[in-house]
Amino acid sequence: MAGVVAVAAESLAGGRARAARTVLDQVVLPGEELLLPEQEDAEGPGGTGERPLRLNAGVRARVRVVCGPGLRRCGDRLLVTKCGRLRYKEPGGSGGGGGVYWVDSQQKRYVPVKGDHVIGIVTAKSGDIFKVDVGGSEPASLSYLAFEGATKRNRPNVQVGDLIYGQFVVANKDMEPEMVCIDSCGRANGMGVIGQDGLLFKVTLGLIRKLLAPDCEILQEVGKLYPLEIVFGMNGRIWVKAKTIQQTLILANILEACEHMTADQRKQIFSRLAES
Amino acid sequence: MQRGLDSETKRQLEEEEKKIISEEHWCFIIEEQSFLLCEDLLYGRMSFRGFNPEVEKLMLQMNSKNKTEEVEGETVELDVSDEEMARRYETLVGTIGKKFAKKRDRVNYEEDENGHVKPTVKAKKMFLKPQD
């Protein structure tokens, strides 16, 4: 790690901006500028068939690039705002060219983002809306009509202290976040009040993303132990439930600890558990 | 007293604006704060070994929705096949037509072998010039 930091400091001291392509999967620090690979639209047949108008020799067509969390736009370069590893995802299928760049950083504090599924705790009920604590700077508001099959007469059965699994529809720095428990078609899709019992605990945001990755071994191994149910919220909250309290607690401890364990240590623990 | 900018500074400002606009036009970098675009994450609710059957059904549904992004129109199961529909419509024209035809024209509607009513086209009677 010290060697990586030294390299980064060197390039910063030099004052040059590095090309994003060369820094993939390496540690980047806030304040660095990254150059995008400038591509010339050289393809003729097929493709989109659009040839950009060449106004002058200096202007080249650029492909649309999305900068994700941890990056900002700075002229036509990317400015890093969080420290972490730079990641890149190729554009898939019919999508527009360019791909997505983002910084894989670690933090515990959640900032509401539109479209994220989160677990919230109902803290207050005032008139037509519920105030839900999602771990952000202010409580989100949830209307009682935003549940599946809810009407003015048929109100949902939500009490103060209940756990809610929902998604944000409004989440920016200027307005109070709003969440709902239905999707755009009006169906619940698993959102709504989370059932009785179980245990809610908090982990870092990076761990949630690691556990929700498509090829996560931890979840596959955990699923083989005993029957259980888990709900992951992107705000760092996990709710688990198993048949007995002891099993629930074991599960919670595993999930909290697996962030700092290597794969071997994890396998040891799982094999010990499987025996007992 | 001079109000406003003189023509030269105005021209310079306009040029700078145009430059900015033309640069913006070519430079497509979009900022997104959501991780959903970046990584394919699984659905957040999970159940293992049959603890919650509804959630297990949801898991299959949502995760397969993510993988297969091709939206194909579902083939609606037909109660009546297309061929039969075409046949019915063919004879329907006959039966309804017969209802609205005058008494003279009803002669034109014949019954087919299967009992389907179809209008037969007969040659229209033309005036025959008398031969001397």
Side-chain angles (χ1 to χ4, degrees), chain A residues 102-147:
Chain A
W102 78 95
V103 176
D104 202 359
S105 63
Q106 182 65 287
Q107 62 183 55
K108 287 182 153 190
R109 196 44 142 141
Y110 177 68
V111 174
V113 167
K114 183 174 164 177
D116 263 3
H117 291 259
V118 293
I119 300 182
I121 307 175
V122 180
T123 51
K125 200 163 142 178
S126 66
D128 292 340
I129 57 169
F130 302 107
K131 286 285 181 211
V132 179
D133 165 44
V134 291
S137 54
E138 53 183 331
S141 74
L142 169 63
S143 162
Y144 76 93
L145 289 171
F147 289 85

mmCIF file of all heavy atoms in Angstrom, chain A residues 102-147:
data_model
loop_
_atom_site.group_PDB
_atom_site.id
_atom_site.type_symbol
_atom_site.label_atom_id
_atom_site.label_comp_id
_atom_site.label_asym_id
_atom_site.label_seq_id
_atom_site.Cartn_x
_atom_site.Cartn_y
_atom_site.Cartn_z
ATOM 1 N N TRP A 102 -16.139 4.584 -12.391
ATOM 2 C CA TRP A 102 -16.479 4.994 -11.034
ATOM 3 C C TRP A 102 -15.358 4.617 -10.076
ATOM 4 O O TRP A 102 -14.461 3.884 -10.440
ATOM 5 C CB TRP A 102 -17.820 4.389 -10.587
ATOM 6 C CG TRP A 102 -17.802 2.959 -10.172
ATOM 7 C CD1 TRP A 102 -17.676 2.462 -8.914
ATOM 8 C CD2 TRP A 102 -17.931 1.818 -11.013
ATOM 9 N NE1 TRP A 102 -17.724 1.103 -8.914
ATOM 10 C CE2 TRP A 102 -17.885 0.673 -10.203
ATOM 11 C CE3 TRP A 102 -18.094 1.657 -12.389
ATOM 12 C CZ2 TRP A 102 -17.997 -0.619 -10.707
ATOM 13 C CZ3 TRP A 102 -18.202 0.371 -12.908
ATOM 14 C CH2 TRP A 102 -18.151 -0.742 -12.057
ATOM 15 N N VAL A 103 -15.459 5.151 -8.866
ATOM 16 C CA VAL A 103 -14.446 4.877 -7.857
ATOM 17 C C VAL A 103 -15.063 3.967 -6.805
ATOM 18 O O VAL A 103 -16.111 4.288 -6.242
ATOM 19 C CB VAL A 103 -13.945 6.182 -7.194
ATOM 20 C CG1 VAL A 103 -12.973 5.854 -6.089
ATOM 21 C CG2 VAL A 103 -13.289 7.060 -8.226
ATOM 22 N N ASP A 104 -14.414 2.864 -6.547
ATOM 23 C CA ASP A 104 -14.894 1.894 -5.576
ATOM 24 C C ASP A 104 -14.359 2.300 -4.216
ATOM 25 O O ASP A 104 -13.260 1.924 -3.839
ATOM 26 C CB ASP A 104 -14.344 0.521 -5.985
ATOM 27 C CG ASP A 104 -15.160 -0.593 -5.423
ATOM 28 O OD1 ASP A 104 -16.124 -0.309 -4.702
ATOM 29 O OD2 ASP A 104 -14.833 -1.754 -5.720
ATOM 30 N N SER A 105 -15.125 3.091 -3.480
ATOM 31 C CA SER A 105 -14.614 3.606 -2.209
ATOM 32 C C SER A 105 -15.380 2.975 -1.059
ATOM 33 O O SER A 105 -16.332 2.243 -1.254
ATOM 34 C CB SER A 105 -14.777 5.119 -2.164
ATOM 35 O OG SER A 105 -16.143 5.451 -2.208
ATOM 36 N N GLN A 106 -14.943 3.271 0.137
ATOM 37 C CA GLN A 106 -15.532 2.670 1.317
ATOM 38 C C GLN A 106 -16.019 3.781 2.222
ATOM 39 O O GLN A 106 -15.298 4.727 2.499
ATOM 40 C CB GLN A 106 -14.460 1.843 2.029
ATOM 41 C CG GLN A 106 -14.939 1.130 3.253
ATOM 42 C CD GLN A 106 -15.960 0.088 2.902
ATOM 43 O OE1 GLN A 106 -17.096 0.385 2.576
ATOM 44 N NE2 GLN A 106 -15.561 -1.166 2.978
ATOM 45 N N GLN A 107 -17.229 3.674 2.694
ATOM 46 C CA GLN A 107 -17.702 4.645 3.668
ATOM 47 C C GLN A 107 -18.840 4.044 4.448
ATOM 48 O O GLN A 107 -19.478 3.085 4.015
ATOM 49 C CB GLN A 107 -18.166 5.933 2.991
ATOM 50 C CG GLN A 107 -19.323 5.766 2.039
ATOM 51 C CD GLN A 107 -19.670 7.072 1.356
ATOM 52 O OE1 GLN A 107 -18.822 7.693 0.737
ATOM 53 N NE2 GLN A 107 -20.903 7.475 1.468
ATOM 54 N N LYS A 108 -19.111 4.671 5.611
ATOM 55 C CA LYS A 108 -20.191 4.178 6.447
ATOM 56 C C LYS A 108 -21.417 5.065 6.343
ATOM 57 O O LYS A 108 -22.520 4.638 6.615
ATOM 58 C CB LYS A 108 -19.741 4.174 7.906
ATOM 59 C CG LYS A 108 -18.756 3.105 8.229
ATOM 60 C CD LYS A 108 -18.414 3.159 9.693
ATOM 61 C CE LYS A 108 -17.999 1.790 10.173
ATOM 62 N NZ LYS A 108 -17.896 1.747 11.619
ATOM 63 N N ARG A 109 -21.233 6.303 5.957
ATOM 64 C CA ARG A 109 -22.311 7.268 5.940
ATOM 65 C C ARG A 109 -23.059 7.160 4.618
ATOM 66 O O ARG A 109 -22.455 7.205 3.559
ATOM 67 C CB ARG A 109 -21.704 8.655 6.072
ATOM 68 C CG ARG A 109 -22.628 9.770 6.455
ATOM 69 C CD ARG A 109 -23.555 9.429 7.532
ATOM 70 N NE ARG A 109 -23.793 10.482 8.457
ATOM 71 C CZ ARG A 109 -24.980 10.735 8.983
ATOM 72 N NH1 ARG A 109 -26.015 10.022 8.636
ATOM 73 N NH2 ARG A 109 -25.119 11.700 9.841
ATOM 74 N N TYR A 110 -24.363 7.044 4.675
ATOM 75 C CA TYR A 110 -25.124 6.894 3.454
ATOM 76 C C TYR A 110 -25.682 8.244 3.005
ATOM 77 O O TYR A 110 -26.171 9.022 3.820
ATOM 78 C CB TYR A 110 -26.273 5.904 3.672
ATOM 79 C CG TYR A 110 -27.151 5.749 2.467
ATOM 80 C CD1 TYR A 110 -26.656 5.149 1.314
ATOM 81 C CD2 TYR A 110 -28.444 6.213 2.466
ATOM 82 C CE1 TYR A 110 -27.445 5.017 0.205
ATOM 83 C CE2 TYR A 110 -29.248 6.077 1.351
ATOM 84 C CZ TYR A 110 -28.737 5.481 0.220
ATOM 85 O OH TYR A 110 -29.515 5.357 -0.881
ATOM 86 N N VAL A 111 -25.620 8.502 1.708
ATOM 87 C CA VAL A 111 -26.242 9.696 1.142
ATOM 88 C C VAL A 111 -27.343 9.214 0.206
ATOM 89 O O VAL A 111 -27.072 8.421 -0.697
ATOM 90 C CB VAL A 111 -25.208 10.518 0.349
ATOM 91 C CG1 VAL A 111 -25.878 11.663 -0.360
ATOM 92 C CG2 VAL A 111 -24.132 11.014 1.273
ATOM 93 N N PRO A 112 -28.588 9.631 0.409
ATOM 94 C CA PRO A 112 -29.681 9.100 -0.399
ATOM 95 C C PRO A 112 -29.476 9.346 -1.883
ATOM 96 O O PRO A 112 -29.064 10.421 -2.313
ATOM 97 C CB PRO A 112 -30.910 9.868 0.102
ATOM 98 C CG PRO A 112 -30.571 10.251 1.480
ATOM 99 C CD PRO A 112 -29.095 10.499 1.486
ATOM 100 N N VAL A 113 -29.748 8.311 -2.668
ATOM 101 C CA VAL A 113 -29.588 8.368 -4.109
ATOM 102 C C VAL A 113 -30.874 7.837 -4.724
ATOM 103 O O VAL A 113 -31.419 6.847 -4.243
ATOM 104 C CB VAL A 113 -28.409 7.469 -4.535
ATOM 105 C CG1 VAL A 113 -28.403 7.250 -6.020
ATOM 106 C CG2 VAL A 113 -27.113 8.060 -4.081
ATOM 107 N N LYS A 114 -31.324 8.467 -5.777
ATOM 108 C CA LYS A 114 -32.590 8.063 -6.385
ATOM 109 C C LYS A 114 -32.483 6.652 -6.951
ATOM 110 O O LYS A 114 -31.512 6.306 -7.609
ATOM 111 C CB LYS A 114 -32.909 9.042 -7.512
ATOM 112 C CG LYS A 114 -34.208 8.777 -8.157
ATOM 113 C CD LYS A 114 -34.522 9.856 -9.156
ATOM 114 C CE LYS A 114 -35.641 9.331 -10.056
ATOM 115 N NZ LYS A 114 -36.085 10.299 -11.003
ATOM 116 N N GLY A 115 -33.491 5.847 -6.680
ATOM 117 C CA GLY A 115 -33.506 4.497 -7.231
ATOM 118 C C GLY A 115 -32.922 3.439 -6.312
ATOM 119 O O GLY A 115 -33.037 2.255 -6.580
ATOM 120 N N ASP A 116 -32.297 3.844 -5.224
ATOM 121 C CA ASP A 116 -31.706 2.867 -4.298
ATOM 122 C C ASP A 116 -32.784 2.223 -3.444
ATOM 123 O O ASP A 116 -33.684 2.885 -2.958
ATOM 124 C CB ASP A 116 -30.741 3.597 -3.358
ATOM 125 C CG ASP A 116 -29.316 3.505 -3.827
ATOM 126 O OD1 ASP A 116 -29.082 2.928 -4.919
ATOM 127 O OD2 ASP A 116 -28.432 3.998 -3.125
ATOM 128 N N HIS A 117 -32.629 0.916 -3.199
ATOM 129 C CA HIS A 117 -33.534 0.224 -2.289
ATOM 130 C C HIS A 117 -32.913 0.247 -0.904
ATOM 131 O O HIS A 117 -31.767 -0.186 -0.734
ATOM 132 C CB HIS A 117 -33.704 -1.237 -2.723
ATOM 133 C CG HIS A 117 -34.452 -1.370 -3.997
ATOM 134 N ND1 HIS A 117 -35.776 -1.716 -4.046
ATOM 135 C CD2 HIS A 117 -34.074 -1.185 -5.269
ATOM 136 C CE1 HIS A 117 -36.180 -1.756 -5.299
ATOM 137 N NE2 HIS A 117 -35.166 -1.443 -6.068
ATOM 138 N N VAL A 118 -33.648 0.748 0.082
ATOM 139 C CA VAL A 118 -33.090 0.902 1.422
ATOM 140 C C VAL A 118 -34.047 0.356 2.459
ATOM 141 O O VAL A 118 -35.250 0.199 2.217
ATOM 142 C CB VAL A 118 -32.808 2.380 1.763
ATOM 143 C CG1 VAL A 118 -31.710 2.938 0.905
ATOM 144 C CG2 VAL A 118 -34.061 3.214 1.611
ATOM 145 N N ILE A 119 -33.478 0.073 3.645
ATOM 146 C CA ILE A 119 -34.308 -0.307 4.793
ATOM 147 C C ILE A 119 -34.429 0.912 5.677
ATOM 148 O O ILE A 119 -33.429 1.519 6.071
ATOM 149 C CB ILE A 119 -33.629 -1.432 5.594
ATOM 150 C CG1 ILE A 119 -33.431 -2.657 4.730
ATOM 151 C CG2 ILE A 119 -34.488 -1.790 6.789
ATOM 152 C CD1 ILE A 119 -32.805 -3.801 5.480
ATOM 153 N N GLY A 120 -35.645 1.279 6.020
ATOM 154 C CA GLY A 120 -35.861 2.439 6.871
ATOM 155 C C GLY A 120 -36.657 2.055 8.097
ATOM 156 O O GLY A 120 -37.350 1.038 8.121
ATOM 157 N N ILE A 121 -36.551 2.883 9.128
ATOM 158 C CA ILE A 121 -37.299 2.677 10.368
ATOM 159 C C ILE A 121 -38.300 3.813 10.487
ATOM 160 O O ILE A 121 -37.926 4.987 10.423
ATOM 161 C CB ILE A 121 -36.346 2.716 11.579
ATOM 162 C CG1 ILE A 121 -35.197 1.752 11.377
ATOM 163 C CG2 ILE A 121 -37.106 2.362 12.845
ATOM 164 C CD1 ILE A 121 -34.162 1.838 12.468
ATOM 165 N N VAL A 122 -39.566 3.479 10.678
ATOM 166 C CA VAL A 122 -40.602 4.514 10.785
ATOM 167 C C VAL A 122 -40.446 5.209 12.127
ATOM 168 O O VAL A 122 -40.486 4.569 13.178
ATOM 169 C CB VAL A 122 -41.997 3.894 10.669
ATOM 170 C CG1 VAL A 122 -43.057 4.956 10.790
ATOM 171 C CG2 VAL A 122 -42.141 3.182 9.333
ATOM 172 N N THR A 123 -40.255 6.522 12.092
ATOM 173 C CA THR A 123 -40.060 7.254 13.348
ATOM 174 C C THR A 123 -41.253 8.095 13.732
ATOM 175 O O THR A 123 -41.435 8.398 14.892
ATOM 176 C CB THR A 123 -38.843 8.189 13.249
ATOM 177 O OG1 THR A 123 -38.977 8.973 12.070
ATOM 178 C CG2 THR A 123 -37.560 7.416 13.190
ATOM 179 N N ALA A 124 -42.067 8.491 12.752
ATOM 180 C CA ALA A 124 -43.201 9.339 13.101
ATOM 181 C C ALA A 124 -44.284 9.175 12.056
ATOM 182 O O ALA A 124 -44.019 8.781 10.922
ATOM 183 C CB ALA A 124 -42.763 10.799 13.191
ATOM 184 N N LYS A 125 -45.494 9.478 12.497
ATOM 185 C CA LYS A 125 -46.637 9.363 11.591
ATOM 186 C C LYS A 125 -47.354 10.688 11.697
ATOM 187 O O LYS A 125 -47.878 11.014 12.760
ATOM 188 C CB LYS A 125 -47.512 8.236 12.137
ATOM 189 C CG LYS A 125 -48.467 7.624 11.195
ATOM 190 C CD LYS A 125 -48.908 6.285 11.777
ATOM 191 C CE LYS A 125 -50.361 6.019 11.522
ATOM 192 N NZ LYS A 125 -50.797 4.733 12.023
ATOM 193 N N SER A 126 -47.359 11.471 10.619
ATOM 194 C CA SER A 126 -47.996 12.774 10.738
ATOM 195 C C SER A 126 -48.938 12.967 9.566
ATOM 196 O O SER A 126 -48.498 13.103 8.430
ATOM 197 C CB SER A 126 -46.939 13.875 10.753
ATOM 198 O OG SER A 126 -46.280 13.947 9.525
ATOM 199 N N GLY A 127 -50.204 12.922 9.827
ATOM 200 C CA GLY A 127 -51.180 13.153 8.773
ATOM 201 C C GLY A 127 -51.140 12.055 7.736
ATOM 202 O O GLY A 127 -51.389 10.897 8.021
ATOM 203 N N ASP A 128 -50.751 12.419 6.507
ATOM 204 C CA ASP A 128 -50.772 11.440 5.423
ATOM 205 C C ASP A 128 -49.426 10.815 5.158
ATOM 206 O O ASP A 128 -49.308 10.005 4.256
ATOM 207 C CB ASP A 128 -51.222 12.111 4.122
ATOM 208 C CG ASP A 128 -52.671 12.508 4.200
ATOM 209 O OD1 ASP A 128 -53.372 11.935 5.047
ATOM 210 O OD2 ASP A 128 -53.083 13.366 3.417
ATOM 211 N N ILE A 129 -48.390 11.246 5.842
ATOM 212 C CA ILE A 129 -47.074 10.699 5.530
ATOM 213 C C ILE A 129 -46.420 10.124 6.764
ATOM 214 O O ILE A 129 -46.708 10.501 7.888
ATOM 215 C CB ILE A 129 -46.132 11.754 4.912
ATOM 216 C CG1 ILE A 129 -45.980 12.942 5.843
ATOM 217 C CG2 ILE A 129 -46.615 12.182 3.554
ATOM 218 C CD1 ILE A 129 -44.879 13.854 5.406
ATOM 219 N N PHE A 130 -45.505 9.175 6.499
ATOM 220 C CA PHE A 130 -44.675 8.626 7.553
ATOM 221 C C PHE A 130 -43.281 9.218 7.416
ATOM 222 O O PHE A 130 -42.797 9.422 6.317
ATOM 223 C CB PHE A 130 -44.549 7.107 7.410
ATOM 224 C CG PHE A 130 -45.839 6.381 7.427
ATOM 225 C CD1 PHE A 130 -46.346 5.828 6.265
ATOM 226 C CD2 PHE A 130 -46.559 6.242 8.601
ATOM 227 C CE1 PHE A 130 -47.539 5.142 6.270
ATOM 228 C CE2 PHE A 130 -47.757 5.558 8.605
ATOM 229 C CZ PHE A 130 -48.254 5.011 7.441
ATOM 230 N N LYS A 131 -42.639 9.444 8.560
ATOM 231 C CA LYS A 131 -41.238 9.883 8.520
ATOM 232 C C LYS A 131 -40.389 8.645 8.754
ATOM 233 O O LYS A 131 -40.590 7.930 9.732
ATOM 234 C CB LYS A 131 -40.966 10.890 9.648
ATOM 235 C CG LYS A 131 -41.551 12.233 9.372
ATOM 236 C CD LYS A 131 -40.728 12.967 8.346
ATOM 237 C CE LYS A 131 -41.321 14.330 8.084
ATOM 238 N NZ LYS A 131 -41.089 14.777 6.728
ATOM 239 N N VAL A 132 -39.474 8.380 7.844
ATOM 240 C CA VAL A 132 -38.697 7.157 7.888
ATOM 241 C C VAL A 132 -37.218 7.511 8.009
ATOM 242 O O VAL A 132 -36.700 8.278 7.203
ATOM 243 C CB VAL A 132 -38.926 6.337 6.594
ATOM 244 C CG1 VAL A 132 -38.113 5.072 6.617
ATOM 245 C CG2 VAL A 132 -40.389 6.016 6.431
ATOM 246 N N ASP A 133 -36.560 6.932 8.994
ATOM 247 C CA ASP A 133 -35.134 7.193 9.167
ATOM 248 C C ASP A 133 -34.346 6.234 8.290
ATOM 249 O O ASP A 133 -34.436 5.016 8.455
ATOM 250 C CB ASP A 133 -34.766 6.986 10.642
ATOM 251 C CG ASP A 133 -33.270 6.881 10.842
ATOM 252 O OD1 ASP A 133 -32.536 7.695 10.245
ATOM 253 O OD2 ASP A 133 -32.820 5.981 11.575
ATOM 254 N N VAL A 134 -33.586 6.770 7.325
ATOM 255 C CA VAL A 134 -32.808 5.914 6.423
ATOM 256 C C VAL A 134 -31.323 6.052 6.650
ATOM 257 O O VAL A 134 -30.533 5.533 5.874
ATOM 258 C CB VAL A 134 -33.125 6.239 4.942
ATOM 259 C CG1 VAL A 134 -34.518 5.809 4.592
ATOM 260 C CG2 VAL A 134 -32.938 7.699 4.667
ATOM 261 N N GLY A 135 -30.911 6.759 7.659
ATOM 262 C CA GLY A 135 -29.481 6.917 7.908
ATOM 263 C C GLY A 135 -28.865 8.092 7.195
ATOM 264 O O GLY A 135 -27.653 8.249 7.210
ATOM 265 N N GLY A 136 -29.648 8.912 6.555
ATOM 266 C CA GLY A 136 -29.115 10.089 5.870
ATOM 267 C C GLY A 136 -29.181 11.301 6.765
ATOM 268 O O GLY A 136 -29.379 11.204 7.967
ATOM 269 N N SER A 137 -29.028 12.469 6.161
ATOM 270 C CA SER A 137 -29.006 13.690 6.976
ATOM 271 C C SER A 137 -30.390 14.073 7.465
ATOM 272 O O SER A 137 -30.523 14.744 8.465
ATOM 273 C CB SER A 137 -28.399 14.834 6.182
ATOM 274 O OG SER A 137 -29.092 14.959 4.959
ATOM 275 N N GLU A 138 -31.434 13.654 6.750
ATOM 276 C CA GLU A 138 -32.772 13.940 7.255
ATOM 277 C C GLU A 138 -33.678 12.747 6.971
ATOM 278 O O GLU A 138 -33.414 11.962 6.063
ATOM 279 C CB GLU A 138 -33.340 15.219 6.629
ATOM 280 C CG GLU A 138 -33.305 15.252 5.142
ATOM 281 C CD GLU A 138 -33.821 16.576 4.611
ATOM 282 O OE1 GLU A 138 -34.662 17.194 5.267
ATOM 283 O OE2 GLU A 138 -33.377 16.962 3.535
ATOM 284 N N PRO A 139 -34.765 12.617 7.735
ATOM 285 C CA PRO A 139 -35.646 11.476 7.525
ATOM 286 C C PRO A 139 -36.390 11.624 6.197
ATOM 287 O O PRO A 139 -36.769 12.716 5.792
ATOM 288 C CB PRO A 139 -36.608 11.516 8.709
ATOM 289 C CG PRO A 139 -36.408 12.793 9.379
ATOM 290 C CD PRO A 139 -35.158 13.429 8.900
ATOM 291 N N ALA A 140 -36.617 10.499 5.539
ATOM 292 C CA ALA A 140 -37.328 10.511 4.271
ATOM 293 C C ALA A 140 -38.821 10.483 4.551
ATOM 294 O O ALA A 140 -39.261 9.999 5.586
ATOM 295 C CB ALA A 140 -36.931 9.293 3.444
ATOM 296 N N SER A 141 -39.592 10.986 3.605
ATOM 297 C CA SER A 141 -41.040 10.944 3.789
ATOM 298 C C SER A 141 -41.619 9.841 2.911
ATOM 299 O O SER A 141 -41.141 9.587 1.807
ATOM 300 C CB SER A 141 -41.654 12.296 3.439
ATOM 301 O OG SER A 141 -41.662 12.478 2.055
ATOM 302 N N LEU A 142 -42.621 9.161 3.451
ATOM 303 C CA LEU A 142 -43.251 8.041 2.749
ATOM 304 C C LEU A 142 -44.754 8.229 2.854
ATOM 305 O O LEU A 142 -45.300 8.250 3.955
ATOM 306 C CB LEU A 142 -42.813 6.737 3.417
ATOM 307 C CG LEU A 142 -43.505 5.447 3.061
ATOM 308 C CD1 LEU A 142 -43.297 5.108 1.620
ATOM 309 C CD2 LEU A 142 -42.948 4.331 3.926
ATOM 310 N N SER A 143 -45.392 8.389 1.719
ATOM 311 C CA SER A 143 -46.836 8.625 1.756
ATOM 312 C C SER A 143 -47.574 7.325 2.001
ATOM 313 O O SER A 143 -47.135 6.259 1.579
ATOM 314 C CB SER A 143 -47.267 9.221 0.419
ATOM 315 O OG SER A 143 -48.651 9.096 0.254
ATOM 316 N N TYR A 144 -48.697 7.372 2.678
ATOM 317 C CA TYR A 144 -49.414 6.124 2.964
ATOM 318 C C TYR A 144 -50.037 5.531 1.712
ATOM 319 O O TYR A 144 -50.428 4.373 1.683
ATOM 320 C CB TYR A 144 -50.462 6.330 4.060
ATOM 321 C CG TYR A 144 -51.714 7.047 3.614
ATOM 322 C CD1 TYR A 144 -52.821 6.346 3.184
ATOM 323 C CD2 TYR A 144 -51.794 8.429 3.659
ATOM 324 C CE1 TYR A 144 -53.982 7.000 2.797
ATOM 325 C CE2 TYR A 144 -52.933 9.089 3.267
ATOM 326 C CZ TYR A 144 -54.023 8.374 2.839
ATOM 327 O OH TYR A 144 -55.146 9.032 2.452
ATOM 328 N N LEU A 145 -50.136 6.323 0.634
ATOM 329 C CA LEU A 145 -50.694 5.793 -0.616
ATOM 330 C C LEU A 145 -49.654 5.063 -1.440
ATOM 331 O O LEU A 145 -49.965 4.473 -2.462
ATOM 332 C CB LEU A 145 -51.265 6.936 -1.453
ATOM 333 C CG LEU A 145 -52.543 7.556 -0.900
ATOM 334 C CD1 LEU A 145 -52.890 8.802 -1.669
ATOM 335 C CD2 LEU A 145 -53.680 6.563 -0.976
ATOM 336 N N ALA A 146 -48.408 5.107 -1.009
ATOM 337 C CA ALA A 146 -47.343 4.506 -1.804
ATOM 338 C C ALA A 146 -47.119 3.052 -1.465
ATOM 339 O O ALA A 146 -45.991 2.572 -1.482
ATOM 340 C CB ALA A 146 -46.053 5.293 -1.582
ATOM 341 N N PHE A 147 -48.176 2.354 -1.094
ATOM 342 C CA PHE A 147 -48.093 0.918 -0.836
ATOM 343 C C PHE A 147 -49.020 0.233 -1.809
ATOM 344 O O PHE A 147 -49.973 0.828 -2.303
ATOM 345 C CB PHE A 147 -48.552 0.603 0.587
ATOM 346 C CG PHE A 147 -47.597 1.067 1.641
ATOM 347 C CD1 PHE A 147 -47.638 2.363 2.116
ATOM 348 C CD2 PHE A 147 -46.652 0.203 2.165
ATOM 349 C CE1 PHE A 147 -46.755 2.797 3.076
ATOM 350 C CE2 PHE A 147 -45.780 0.623 3.132
ATOM 351 C CZ PHE A 147 -45.823 1.923 3.591
#
